[in-house]
Amino acid sequence: MGKSEVTCDCEVIHEDLVKKVKEQLQSEEIITQLANFYKIFSDTTRVKILYALDKSDLCVCDISALLNMSISAVSHQLKILRDSYLVKTKREGKVIYYSLADEHVQIIIECGLEHILEKNNQK
């Protein structure tokens, strides 16, 4: 075991704490949905798109130019984000603008970035 590893040397189960937390656990189905939700954020292209949409509503052509990707590739990622309820659309004439679905998505992006930047500044 390395010096930086932290382990618990006790073998006591704190039954009151275990029971309290167990009562608050979500169902297996909800936990699976939560894990799948976070898998969406494991793709750097999708995170770039979400970050860009945190700054402004954009159409697929704007996102394509911004990320230097084909419209087809961006559209594929946007479909995944729409199907996951992370982005929404708004039509203005022939143009469809994409935006973050709600404030929760904005908070996830901004808090995640803040966490990363803080950790990078501590190095």
Side-chain angles (χ1 to χ4, degrees):
M1 197 174 322
K3 293 179 183 179
S4 65
E5 292 185 44
V6 177
T7 61
C8 182
D9 291 332
C10 75
E11 294 182 14
V12 176
I13 296 174
H14 303 92
E15 292 182 28
D16 54 334
L17 291 174
V18 171
K19 181 181 178 197
K20 178 181 173 186
V21 172
K22 190 173 189 173
E23 290 171 353
Q24 296 177 41
L25 287 179
Q26 293 290 330
S27 70
E28 193 67 30
E29 179 183 348
I30 296 296
I31 294 297
T32 299
Q33 289 176 12
L34 182 61
N36 290 336
F37 172 79
Y38 280 108
K39 284 180 187 177
I40 300 299
F41 294 90
S42 69
D43 181 271
T44 55
T45 299
R46 289 191 290 264
V47 172
K48 287 178 188 177
I49 292 170
L50 291 170
Y51 184 76
L53 295 177
D54 183 42
K55 303 305 172 201
S56 178
D57 295 0
L58 299 166
C59 74
V60 68
C61 296
D62 296 335
I63 298 168
S64 174
L66 181 68
L67 301 184
N68 196 28
M69 294 176 61
S70 71
I71 290 174
S72 175
V74 170
S75 292
H76 174 72
Q77 297 302 331
L78 286 167
K79 179 176 178 1
I80 293 170
L81 293 170
R82 273 194 331 268
D83 291 348
S84 302
Y85 305 102
L86 295 173
V87 300
K88 61 184 179 182
T89 60
K90 174 180 62 176
R91 178 179 289 276
E92 287 186 16
K94 292 184 177 184
V95 181
I96 297 175
Y97 287 96
Y98 291 84
S99 61
L100 298 180
D102 58 37
E103 188 178 302
H104 298 113
V105 182
Q106 181 182 22
I107 291 168
I108 291 167
I109 294 297
E110 291 177 1
C111 284
L113 182 61
E114 182 180 341
H115 178 76
I116 297 301
L117 293 175
E118 284 177 5
K119 296 303 169 199
N120 285 343
N121 288 335
Q122 291 177 1
K123 290 181 179 179

